[in-house]
Amino acid sequence: MTMNPSLLDAARDVMRRAYAPHSHFRVGAAVRSSSGAVYLGCNIENASYGATLCAERVAIAAMVAAGDRAWTEIAIASDADPPATPCGICLQVLVEFATEGRVLLAGPNQCRETSLGALLPDPFVLRHGE
Ligand code: THU
């Protein structure tokens, strides 16, 4: 593992705490903010399905609740090879708090690095001075 093993390790570690009784697809996310702090999230499913929270959004929620407003890097771990990419809703939430950022994707055997700009090249944004 050459790309930021600590952030990937954190994502793989929190993935074990996923609550995924419906899909059995566990996801872990570790986001590093511009302050250097790392925030964690795992997916939290719901019997209604629609109320399910993705790991990335749980990590971003933890970051904002802690007082950070910008991220620079996120690692996302799952059991998918090739590694799973963030869903469209998560990409939209990620772009709310970064104009660009490194995205590390990890499966059990494969990892790849991409970027927010590559995954969401032409996002909808409303910037209002916050
Ligand atoms: N999931 C995530 O946690 N992140 C994504 O970006 C895509 C999907 C979760 C939601 C659900 O619990 C499971 O993966 C299957 O969709």
Side-chain angles (χ1 to χ4, degrees):
M1 193 76 59
T2 53
M3 338 178 271
N4 202 332
S6 68
L7 205 65
L8 280 177
D9 287 350
R12 285 190 161 127
D13 194 50
V14 70
M15 178 187 149
R16 294 184 295 117
R17 295 204 280 273
Y19 175 73
H22 304 291
S23 73
H24 303 287
F25 187 73
R26 298 175 303 144
V27 185
V31 66
R32 193 187 308 282
S33 75
S34 51
S35 73
V38 172
Y39 301 97
L40 304 175
C42 58
N43 54 329
I44 304 171
E45 296 189 341
N46 187 268
S48 71
Y49 292 15
T52 290
L53 301 172
C54 289
E56 298 90 325
R57 280 179 286 144
V58 172
I60 290 290
M63 180 188 83
V64 174
D68 272 336
R69 288 285 177 87
W71 65 274
T72 57
E73 194 172 15
I74 186 168
I76 302 161
S78 74
D79 278 328
D81 268 328
T85 50
C87 78
I89 294 175
C90 287
L91 289 171
Q92 188 65 39
V93 169
L94 287 168
V95 83
E96 185 79 18
F97 298 105
T99 49
E100 190 46 281
R102 290 177 82 210
V103 179
L104 313 177
L105 304 173
N109 304 302
Q110 299 176 32
C111 297
R112 79 175 168 105
E113 178 175 340
T114 182
S115 67
L116 184 61
L119 293 168
L120 191 64
D122 194 10
F124 172 75
V125 284
L126 270 182
R127 301 272 180 226
H128 45 77
E130 273 207 50

